[in-house]
Amino acid sequence: METEVTAAVARVWAQQEFGRAQIGDDRRTQRLVEMAAHVALRPAGKLTQVWEEGAEREGAYRLVENEAVVARDMASAAHRKCSPSPVVEELDDERGA
C-alpha cells in the first residue's frame, strides 16, 4: 500500500529529523528542514530535479556548497534521531533481547 506524503507530514518529519542539526546558524538549520521537507515531497537524485528553478533551488545550492557547513553535521542530526534511546535499550536488556 502506497502512502501519499502531504506537505504537512513532510514538514513534521523534516523538523523531527533535522530540526536539531548543529550547523552553525539557526537559519541554516531552518533551510535544511525546508529542503528535507521538499525532497520528501519530490525525491530525486539531483537538486535540479527537486527544484527546477527559483530562489529555493538557489538556497539549496548555497547551503550544500557553504564551506562553513559540514555534511557530517547535517547527517548527524538524523543519525541521533535514529539512535536507540537508553530507555529502549534498558527494556530490551530486561526482556533478554
Side-chain angles (χ1 to χ4, degrees):
M1 184 164 109
E2 194 171 312
T3 303
E4 183 178 329
V5 176
T6 65
V9 170
R11 177 76 181 155
V12 168
W13 168 81
Q15 184 64 43
Q16 290 174 344
E17 291 294 321
F18 299 101
R20 293 186 176 193
Q22 301 290 318
I23 55 176
D25 186 287
D26 290 341
R27 294 170 294 180
R28 291 181 191 147
T29 302
Q30 185 61 34
R31 169 70 67 189
L32 177 60
V33 168
E34 291 169 5
M35 285 175 60
H38 195 86
V39 170
L41 292 171
R42 189 174 178 167
K46 298 178 182 180
L47 291 178
T48 54
Q49 293 172 318
V50 176
W51 293 274
E52 293 178 6
E53 58 186 48
E56 286 185 355
R57 182 169 83 175
E58 181 63 30
Y61 271 113
R62 287 183 181 175
L63 181 66
V64 171
E65 294 177 349
N66 188 328
E67 291 180 10
V69 177
V70 179
R72 179 180 53 239
D73 294 340
M74 290 189 282
S76 69
H79 295 166
R80 280 191 301 273
K81 177 87 171 61
C82 294
S83 296
S85 75
V87 173
V88 171
E89 287 178 3
E90 186 174 318
L91 287 173
D92 284 345
D93 287 344
E94 289 176 5
R95 294 179 183 162

